[in-house]
Amino acid sequence: MTARTLLSDAQFNEVRATILDNNPGMEPDLASRILTDALAFVAAASARGGRGMVPSRVVDEGWHALILHTGLYQNLCALLGGFVHHTPERPDPGRFDSAVLARTIAAIESAGYSVDTDLWGAPDAELVSVAAKCQHSDDGGPIVIIPKPKG
């Protein structure tokens, strides 16, 4: 299943335009891939309560673009079952933990979404330079779901 279907064409194009505006020279296809994986990340994080999940630095660029469309993002999170908050951290390759990304990818796939593995590398092994200057590195903080899932 692709997370692309979580937004209408118009919504997807608006958020993708934000990614492209923030990253001059980025190919539209790459921006679409980033946004699709950001949608899958938010969907899985909402379903799982965010425990043990962090986006890659590249996918975080798509998450940032979603968040900038506040009404759309609020409605998306409501549809998915819980608001996924974002707490940024400055990039620091020394904090990178590949096991956390592997758990995140597994959670996304477990939720039924496909993952573009090229977008899930270490913060210093970028597929592309992105405007987002934040990194999420541990299971303990960056994601808080409101309301908390039952169970």
Side-chain angles (χ1 to χ4, degrees):
M1 160 172 47
T2 178
R4 165 64 187 86
T5 60
L6 294 170
L7 298 180
S8 70
D9 288 344
Q11 291 169 325
F12 189 89
N13 290 335
E14 284 297 317
V15 178
R16 184 180 67 173
T18 298
I19 295 170
L20 292 168
D21 288 347
N22 290 336
N23 297 278
M26 181 181 283
E27 292 295 322
D29 181 62
L30 179 57
S32 293
R33 291 168 51 205
I34 290 169
L35 178 53
T36 299
D37 272 32
L39 286 164
F41 169 77
V42 171
S46 184
R48 291 177 47 102
R51 289 180 298 277
M53 295 184 66
V54 298
S56 69
R57 183 158 176 228
V58 172
V59 173
D60 196 46
E61 180 71 21
W63 191 16
H64 287 194
L66 277 167
I67 292 167
L68 288 174
H69 295 261
T70 59
L72 181 151
Y73 185 69
Q74 180 181 20
N75 291 337
L76 174 67
C77 288
L79 172 75
L80 296 170
F83 194 87
V84 183
H85 286 273
H86 180 282
T87 304
E89 295 177 329
R90 299 288 302 164
D92 178 357
R95 279 194 322 249
F96 175 71
D97 183 351
S98 62
V100 177
L101 279 188
R103 280 197 311 269
T104 300
I105 290 168
I108 292 169
E109 290 173 338
S110 177
Y113 296 100
S114 57
V115 173
D116 185 338
T117 55
D118 289 343
L119 304 179
W120 289 87
D124 58 352
E126 297 178 21
L127 170 72
V128 62
S129 179
V130 292
K133 298 294 182 218
C134 95
Q135 167 189 339
H136 303 284
S137 58
D138 68 28
D139 328 69
I143 301 170
V144 179
I145 306 300
I146 308 247
K148 292 197 181 239
K150 295 178 175 122

